[in-house]
Amino acid sequence: MVLAAIPSPSRGVVHLGPVPLRAYALMIIIGVFVAVFVTGRRLRARGMDPMVASEVAYWAVPFGIVGARVYHVVSTPAAYFGRDGNVLDVIKIWNGGLGIWGAIAGGAFGAWLATRRYGISLALFGDAAAPGIILAQAIGRWGNWFNQELYGKASTLPWAVRIDEKHQIIPGVSTYQPTFLYECLWNLVVAGILLVVDRRHRLGRGKLFCLYVALYTFGRLWIEMLRIDTANQILGLRVNIWTSIVVCLGALLALAVTRSPVDPNLSREEQEALGIARSRPAARSTVTTAGTADQRAAAPDSAGPDSAALDSVGPDSVDPDLGGPDPADPGSAGSVPAAAVPDASGSTATTATTATTATTATTATTATTATTGVPAGSQQSRGLATRLPASGGHTSAVPPEEPQLP
């Protein structure tokens, strides 16, 4: 007896006037937007323009959809080329039937074309995109729920999914293992593992993507064993099970033998210097003005415009002709500090020269950072796009030699 079950939607399409809005396609679209958003933020942290994520998606998504459909049709040809099949159903992707293995292969091929076009590292992009891709897969799996497809064995568990009569594989059995839910939860766990590993134990370039493939295929292996939908078999196992085993072992091998540099995150200042992050507004300094009104009221009436002029220009530039204190008189109020009084040895000129030299060095160093955004040579090791500034054109931080004052 079934005590509880997850209900299935009564329909998977909503009509907005003459336009049908299919839940299966909507889940894929939402997943793509999430993947692009997450990938863009992670690319920016690695010193790349976040818009690269959407530019690569223009290539990867169409190739991924075509690859997913081709894999599904090839792995289950009877539904389209069999005795009761209809070859025209091949193009009806809104009814379901997208193989994840074809999606990964096709999407990777499209991403490879795009990264070559924009001159960036495919391995670096893959590491940035891996968490977003697995999140998109978690969202896309709910399209199977709307279509009432790709569920598992018959079950009476309280979280079993209830399937309508016309979608039941076993006539008369209405509740089955919700494999779409299992895969969604597993994908969320994988996304969390990838983010934690990338933050605490940054792997070499390309290794995080290999870890994503290994973890996903390991979970897909046991989830695939629960499914009972029609599929081709090799040696008594579904083709998808063999695919999961081969791909998982290949990813683990690549993870073990790959030797590549680590791509650290850029600081906020480096991101702003590259123009890939908005500059934060400078903090406003707060000046305490308590008692100012009382002090002004207590000031003598003789303090006229000359006094105001003196206050505005500061003690170092007081002109004795204006009636203010004489800087030559060490006993007068407001006299110039002893460090700024020139002596016979010319210490004032030396101090001014040193200050000017330090200012010039600071300005040159700032120009270097603004030109390159990151330390010299690190852009090439990151594999940044050609659209970003080259690291070889920075200016020297050594200031020009200052003339000696007499």
Side-chain angles (χ1 to χ4, degrees):
M1 181 178 64
V2 179
L3 299 178
I6 301 174
S8 292
S10 57
R11 57 180 179 175
V13 58
V14 176
H15 290 273
L16 302 178
V19 180
L21 179 61
R22 303 184 184 276
Y24 188 85
L26 181 61
M27 294 297 102
I28 294 177
I29 293 174
I30 294 175
V32 169
F33 274 102
V34 170
V36 170
F37 175 77
V38 173
T39 303
R41 290 179 61 88
R42 290 173 54 78
L43 284 174
R44 181 172 59 190
R46 282 167 163 77
M48 297 177 63
D49 187 348
M51 291 303 297
V52 171
S54 58
E55 292 172 353
V56 174
Y58 293 149
W59 292 74
V61 173
F63 277 95
I65 293 177
V66 172
R69 189 59 174 177
V70 170
Y71 180 88
H72 171 76
V73 172
V74 171
S75 59
T76 55
Y80 307 97
F81 306 105
R83 179 178 301 178
D84 299 328
N86 184 0
V87 68
L88 295 179
D89 290 343
V90 171
I91 62 175
K92 297 180 180 180
I93 62 174
W94 51 85
N95 290 332
L98 295 177
I100 186 60
W101 309 117
I104 294 177
F109 179 72
W112 176 75
L113 292 177
T115 52
R116 281 180 58 88
R117 178 183 178 89
Y118 298 122
I120 61 179
S121 169
L122 177 61
L124 188 150
F125 181 86
D127 287 344
I133 293 175
I134 196 67
L135 286 175
Q137 292 177 231
I139 297 172
R141 271 305 168 195
W142 287 92
N144 301 135
W145 178 58
F146 282 98
N147 285 352
Q148 300 190 42
E149 61 182 2
L150 305 184
Y151 44 83
K153 300 176 181 179
S155 174
T156 58
L157 293 171
W159 58 82
V161 61
R162 189 178 301 279
I163 303 298
D164 295 341
E165 183 177 357
K166 65 178 180 178
H167 297 291
Q168 294 173 4
I169 295 179
I170 304 175
V173 178
S174 60
T175 55
Y176 299 84
Q177 292 273 10
T179 53
F180 73 91
L181 177 61
Y182 298 157
E183 185 166 339
C184 173
L185 296 176
W186 175 254
N187 291 346
L188 293 177
V189 171
V190 172
I193 294 175
L194 294 178
L195 292 174
V196 170
V197 170
D198 196 47
R199 173 171 295 185
R200 299 184 179 180
H201 310 283
R202 180 65 60 88
L203 304 177
R205 182 179 298 178
K207 284 192 170 185
L208 191 72
F209 188 83
C210 293
L211 180 62
Y212 145 69
V213 175
L215 290 175
Y216 171 72
T217 51
F218 176 77
R220 182 63 184 266
L221 180 63
W222 62 268
I223 293 174
E224 194 71 28
M225 293 179 179
L226 297 175
R227 288 172 50 172
I228 59 175
D229 53 292
T230 304
N232 292 335
Q233 295 186 353
I234 299 177
L235 300 178
L237 294 178
R238 297 164 63 94
V239 172
N240 286 341
I241 294 179
W242 286 110
T243 305
S244 298
I245 294 174
V246 173
V247 175
C248 182
L249 293 177
L252 291 175
L253 179 62
L255 189 62
V257 303
T258 300
R259 297 292 182 268
S260 55
V262 176
D263 297 306
N265 288 344
L266 297 185
S267 65
R268 180 75 183 187
E269 291 74 15
E270 289 174 327
Q271 295 178 25
E272 294 174 358
L274 286 172
I276 57 179
R278 295 182 179 179
S279 300
R280 296 178 177 175
R284 297 181 179 179
S285 59
T286 304
V287 181
T288 305
T289 58
T292 303
D294 296 338
Q295 293 176 1
R296 291 182 178 178
D301 296 337
S302 60
D306 292 346
S307 176
L310 294 178
D311 293 339
S312 64
V313 297
D316 292 345
S317 57
V318 174
D319 188 349
D321 294 337
L322 295 178
D326 186 358
D329 183 6
S332 62
S335 59
V336 180
V341 178
D343 56 12
S345 61
S347 60
T348 301
T350 303
T351 304
T353 302
T354 304
T356 305
T357 303
T359 303
T360 307
T362 304
T363 305
T365 304
T366 304
T368 301
T369 305
T371 304
T372 62
V374 293
S378 62
Q379 285 187 341
Q380 295 179 355
S381 65
R382 294 179 189 276
L384 301 185
T386 54
R387 66 181 66 248
L388 297 180
S391 61
H394 64 274
T395 59
S396 174
V398 179
E401 183 177 357
E402 291 289 337
Q404 295 295 330
L405 297 180

